[in-house]
């Protein structure tokens, strides 16, 4: 690879014709504003460019990478439930960046197909996208990115999946036309080449891992290759790259939760990236990583305390299935007899016996459902997850 040694290129723009639909219904002012050319982003190729980062940026990115790896090792040594719960918290936080909020209980109900909350269902879909990103981390090609997006939207918007967008999209300025948008991504005929270039950039091994992932994420958001779901897919890609670089191997550290404390800074960093300033997005992701680790440690510590209190409350043989149910509750705080039976490999009768034992000890309480389809909740785990989300939203905690 021959690298182009030059300052990081800024996004330019190009004129594009706009053809208004004949049946548009709007005010005269809106109709007049949607006439003639608009300007779409002209995004530079980056696969062969030197990445010019300041020494202080490289230092903070290196420190953040080490902290992520340290926490990944800590959480990975605890038990499988922590990997599942951290994956859900990252998915919920990434969705909240897009103003898709749902309580921990609603998300848990959605996992059981018992929630009417559209946002909760979208969070569960984002869990699938994150799982796809992690599974495909060792081969992050164009089809892998499309597969992440498909996992995200296959239920809520199946008409958008299967490939790159074939229409112009824009951010802000209303839904009528791109003429007054805050940002107009590149015309769709440029997307295939840009995404092929991005995948080549993502395959490089000469850029420090966290900086590499942050820049790839910013380039992805600038290209905006899909009609919808770009933000969540782009943050899943970031995790896939961290996994591919061995920064994380055991858990999905909830970096999006770190971004939530200052979304204005995150969106400004993406703008600065488009102006040719890659340091800002790298530093923003590094700061988010530090916040995510601190918040993640608080969550894991609280879950440890909850699990210890359950052990004190529930007395049973070491090989009793109730212990496996307790571990399951740390990652799935709402359960039914059927969901427990499937998860731990016992009959529904045995599952219900364990649930009844936990309910008798105060670990579980009745959440919803009739006599036949009862749902039980681990209230302490739900409270810990909601507390994690509340901390993530605060600029300082």
């Amino acid at each position: 690879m021959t690298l182009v040694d030059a300052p990081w290129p800024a996004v330019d723009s190009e004129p594009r014709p706009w053809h208004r639909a004949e049946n548009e219904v709007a005010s005269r002012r809106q109709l007049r504003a949607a006439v003639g050319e608009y300007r779409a982003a002209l995004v530079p190729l980056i696969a062969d460019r030197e990445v010019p980062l300041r020494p202080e940026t490289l230092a903070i990115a290196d420190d953040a990478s080490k902290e992520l790896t340290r926490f990944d090792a800590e959480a990975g040594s605890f038990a499988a439930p922590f990997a599942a719960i951290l994956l859900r918290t990252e998915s919920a936080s990434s969705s909240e960046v897009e103003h898709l909020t749902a309580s921990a209980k609603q998300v848990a109900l959605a996992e059981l197909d018992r929630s009417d909350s559209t946002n909760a269902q979208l969070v569960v879909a984002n869990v699938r996208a994150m799982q796809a990103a992690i599974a495909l981390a060792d081969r992050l090609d164009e089809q892998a990115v499309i597969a992440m997006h498909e996992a995200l939207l296959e239920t809520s918007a199946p008409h958008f999946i299967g490939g790159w967008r074939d229409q112009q999209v824009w951010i802000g300025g209303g839904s009528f036309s791109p003429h007054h948008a805050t940002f107009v991504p590149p015309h769709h005929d440029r997307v295939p080449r840009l995404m092929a270039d991005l995948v080549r950039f993502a395959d490089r091994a000469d850029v420090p891992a966290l900086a590499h992932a942050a820049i790839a994420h910013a380039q992805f958001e600038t290209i905006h290759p899909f009609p919808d779901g770009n933000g969540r897919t782009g943050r899943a890609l970031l995790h896939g790259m961290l996994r591919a670089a061995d920064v994380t191997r055991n858990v999905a550290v909830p970096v999006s939760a770190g971004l939530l404390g200052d979304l204005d800074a995150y969106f400004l960093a993406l703008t600065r990236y488009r102006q040719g300033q890659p340091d800002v997005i790298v530093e923003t992701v590094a700061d988010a990583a530090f916040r995510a680790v601190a918040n993640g440690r608080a969550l894991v510590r609280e879950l440890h305390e909850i699990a210890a209190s359950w052990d004190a409350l529930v007395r049973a043989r070491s090989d009793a299935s109730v212990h496996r149910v307790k571990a399951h509750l740390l990652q799935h705080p709402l359960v039914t007899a059927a969901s427990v039976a499937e998860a731990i490999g016992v009959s529904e009768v045995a599952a219900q016996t364990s649930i009844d034992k936990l309910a008798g000890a105060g670990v579980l309480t009745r959440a919803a459902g009739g006599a036949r389809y009862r749902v039980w909740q681990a209230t302490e785990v739900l409270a810990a997850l909601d507390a994690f989300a509340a901390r993530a939203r605060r600029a300082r905690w």
Side-chain angles (χ1 to χ4, degrees):
M1 179 189 297
T2 301
L3 298 180
V4 178
D5 187 8
W8 197 255
V11 172
D12 203 346
S13 66
E14 62 177 345
R16 287 283 183 166
W18 180 254
H19 303 291
R20 198 181 74 219
E22 293 291 333
N23 59 350
E24 293 283 10
V25 178
S27 68
R28 284 178 295 172
R29 180 181 177 183
Q30 288 176 312
L31 292 172
R32 287 171 182 166
V35 172
E37 292 180 338
Y38 68 97
R39 300 195 71 83
L42 192 59
V43 179
L45 303 175
I46 65 170
D48 299 322
R49 288 195 171 271
E50 190 73 47
V51 180
L53 296 173
R54 298 189 299 264
E56 54 268 34
T57 300
L58 292 171
I60 190 175
D62 183 57
D63 288 345
S65 292
K66 290 176 181 176
E67 199 61 45
L68 287 172
T69 300
R70 188 176 299 115
F71 177 68
D72 179 76
E74 292 169 7
S77 69
F78 294 148
F82 293 102
I85 209 72
L86 288 168
L87 179 67
R88 185 195 285 114
T89 56
E90 167 57 20
S91 302
S93 298
S94 183
S95 297
E96 191 163 345
V97 172
E98 309 298 327
H99 307 293
L100 300 170
T101 60
S103 69
K105 182 173 182 176
Q106 285 300 320
V107 173
L109 283 169
E111 290 182 322
L112 294 173
D113 292 326
R114 299 291 184 90
S115 176
D116 293 328
S117 167
T118 300
N119 283 0
Q121 293 164 7
L122 291 173
V123 171
V124 172
N126 203 16
V127 171
R128 293 195 296 268
M130 285 291 302
Q131 289 169 330
I134 290 168
L136 296 166
D138 293 330
R139 55 178 185 90
L140 285 174
D141 56 16
E142 292 161 83
Q143 286 306 309
V145 177
I146 290 171
M148 294 176 206
H149 182 255
E150 184 170 332
L152 177 70
L153 295 184
E154 61 184 345
T155 300
S156 63
H159 50 291
F160 285 153
I161 65 175
W164 311 129
R165 60 179 165 88
D166 60 359
Q167 57 189 277
Q168 181 67 70
V169 296
W170 58 92
I171 301 169
S175 60
F176 196 67
S177 82
H179 290 81
H180 300 286
T182 304
F183 176 66
V184 182
H187 191 269
H188 44 278
D189 64 9
R190 294 193 179 275
V191 168
R193 185 185 182 199
L194 286 167
M195 287 305 299
D197 176 79
L198 175 56
V199 165
R200 284 185 57 220
F201 175 79
D203 193 46
R204 285 170 57 171
D206 64 328
V207 185
L210 187 137
H212 192 199
I215 290 171
H217 168 68
Q219 182 77 353
F220 178 93
E221 300 305 333
T222 300
I223 298 168
H224 235 65
F226 301 113
D228 189 27
N230 292 282
R232 287 164 288 168
T233 305
R235 288 183 289 277
L237 172 64
L238 188 153
H239 277 279
M241 289 186 63
L242 292 176
R243 181 64 64 98
D246 282 336
V247 173
T248 58
R249 293 306 298 177
N250 301 302
V251 299
V253 184
V255 175
S256 294
L259 296 172
L260 274 176
D262 194 349
L263 285 178
D264 288 342
Y266 171 49
F267 295 131
L268 178 61
L270 291 174
T271 298
R272 291 285 184 265
Y273 173 81
R274 292 162 190 154
Q275 295 169 347
Q277 301 173 43
D279 291 84
V280 186
I281 189 63
V282 174
E283 291 169 3
T284 298
V285 171
D287 286 340
F290 290 127
R291 287 175 50 82
V293 168
N295 201 355
R297 281 196 175 115
L299 174 63
V300 169
R301 183 168 55 251
E302 188 167 358
L303 292 174
H304 265 302
E305 292 169 355
I306 291 168
S309 71
W310 290 352
D311 289 341
L313 288 170
V314 180
R315 301 295 182 183
R317 299 188 321 273
S318 60
D319 61 345
S321 60
V322 70
H323 297 302
R324 283 180 286 157
V325 179
K326 285 188 297 180
H328 180 69
L329 290 172
L330 292 176
Q331 53 188 310
H332 298 286
L334 264 73
V335 295
T336 64
S339 71
V340 167
E342 181 178 0
I344 71 170
V346 297
S347 69
E348 286 195 31
V349 172
Q352 187 62 56
T353 298
S354 293
I355 288 172
D356 291 341
K357 188 174 184 66
L358 292 169
V363 170
L364 287 173
T365 57
R366 178 82 170 269
R372 186 176 179 186
Y373 299 106
R374 286 174 292 180
V375 178
W376 301 86
Q377 69 181 42
T379 303
E380 292 169 294
V381 176
L382 293 174
L385 293 173
D386 284 335
F388 172 93
R391 289 192 299 268
R393 297 183 196 108
R394 296 199 295 268
R396 295 286 181 268
W397 50 275

